[in-house]
Amino acid sequence: MCGIVGVVGAENTMGVLLDGLSRLEYRGYDSAGVAVYENSVKIIKSKGKIENLKKKVGNLSIPAGCGIGHTRWATHGEPSEVNAHPHYSYRKKVCAVHNGIIENYKEIKDFLLEKGYKFYSDTDTEAAVNLIDHYLNEDPISAIISAMKRIKGSYALAIIIENKQDVIYLAKKDSPLIVGIDKEKSYIASDIPAILPYTDKVYYMDNMELARVEKGKVEFFDINGDPIEKELHKISWSIDEAELGEYDHFMLKEIYEQPASILNTLKRYIKEDTIDFNSAGIDKNILSKINKVRILGCGSAYHVGVVIQNVIEELCKLPVRTEYASEFRYGSSECSKDELVIVISQSGETADTLFALRLAKSQGAKTVAVVNVVGSSIAREAEHTLYTMAGPEIAVATTKAYTAQITVCMLLAIELARVKNSINEGAYSKMISEIKEIPDKISKILEENKKIEELSLKFKNLQHAFMIGRRMDYGICLEGSLKLKEISYIHSEAYPAGELKHGTISLIENGTIVIGVMTQDEIIEKTISNLTEVKSRGAYIIGITYEGNAMISDACDKIIYLPKTFKLLYPILSAIPLQLLAYYVSVGRGLNVDKPRNLAKSVTVE
Ligand code: G6P
């Protein structure tokens, strides 16, 4: 949700800001703006994509000590130039960009109106900016602390202050902020890709912390204003991973990176054919005490949970429930001390997931996060973190992080089963050797991309589609359906195959496309029956199954075959054709594949 970038001490402040914003556009793209400070503050904002802002800035090269920039995903106030950040205080003493939501902005605004402040935008941010301005008779750090104590909600604030040239002040609560240092220059950002071309050395800010960032120097403070020491981290992502290279879209690049991202993930956790979670501090002692499992996540991460629930139930014979993090937060079911709570999040910053994690922790559950972004809030707050080694994911619709999440969770399920003695050594070794072959099998599926591109033509003018499957296959349908909706805007519904006849079958008419995912032998026949029911009502059936499965030929008009693997590993393979399908349908319809309308990659508000 919204992206922040800033720099102190660069020769080309404006260039760094615009470049950083382009790299952050996946976080929000309804408006953008920059503020640079040299003697006075100059703000340039525009509605729409960063391209519009770039045009407006033109050749303007303002020599500046420091600057801040923002790309917005609207929460309070419609997307417009006036609501775009940065926002300036009424007395023109404070200028800031903000990610998050100021929940009590109305109360703050009323308080400030009484003091004579005037407001020009509909944003909650303007209230925070003026509140800091109000306290500015104190030194900036104290003024920001006073404002933080009064503000309720979440914020990453990057602030420039009158007469404090060459300084950016930061304040953070529940929204990410990092500070990067390179010799005489300092960079700030909400996400790593924004500053990756300039530095790989960063500090991660924690909640209720502040920072004063100067040229090549940063000081951190706690909410009492006391200085704090923080550890400098080295980022392992390379800049090439965050660049488009030879591909037309990041989504396609990321789909093709899956053999490598899964291989890297497997290399991290399989040592000499044995699963090794030592890097996350997870051992036999911890897993042997687990008697139930809960999986929490949002969007695609939740869909990983639906798949993995089936894997854990089958391998470990333990009760598992998968819940949307946003629902768990407000539910009344309590976690127990013998419960393993697996929290899944690519960004590690999704607000609902972060709060769900905190709740599960406070209830005494053992928490393990499966996260892609090193140093993110969820990664730091979970007791144990298993990183997916997917590298930076830029396209809004997740692909490589999703399959890396399934891979890590599969390994966790297999290890849990080994520790709980619910599988024998033979089954364990078989699964390890099969999972190691998954990257090559994905490459094989990717070689068949032309067939899927051809198939995508059938979807060009489609209004709606259905995807059905049972158990794990249903989990994959949920994700395939979401991909199609997200980037092609075709309404698609995923159904457990047996449920379609309980109502939704009334939507089936001549030419309706129904995709059936059928990888689990013991239930394939059941799904075939359900496909036959819709085929006889005119549906066009696409089946996804493993090579050599002749059972489904009569029921399907078109079949996509997957290389054979161990039955529980099919979800990693069956996701790939559905990702490619969604991609080609979106391209065929001329849509913005990487930045679909209304979406943001990382949702840091409730
Ligand atoms: C957003 C994205 C989804 C993503 C979800 C969870 O809604 O658009 O693609 O699955 O957030 O994100 P996370 O970073 O927690 O995995």
Side-chain angles (χ1 to χ4, degrees), residues 466-475 477 493-506 508 514-518 523-534:
F466 294 89
M467 301 196 192
I468 64 170
R470 289 169 185 257
R471 313 298 307 171
M472 290 198 305
D473 291 338
Y474 164 60
C477 291
E493 291 231 34
Y495 263 89
E499 283 299 300
L500 204 61
K501 59 183 176 294
H502 296 296
T504 314
I505 199 161
S506 65
I508 304 292
V514 180
I515 299 181
V517 179
M518 291 163 282
I523 44 179
I524 285 185
E525 281 180 358
K526 304 288 170 199
T527 304
I528 291 177
S529 304
N530 304 127
L531 287 174
T532 313
E533 286 155 15
V534 289

Side-chain angles (χ1 to χ4, degrees), residues 298-301 344-348 350 353 396 398 405 486 600-601 603:
C298 297
S300 300
I344 306 172
S345 174
Q346 184 282 130
S347 62
T350 301
T353 314
V396 166
T398 179
Q405 286 164 348
E486 278 179 316
K601 186 150 187 73
V603 182

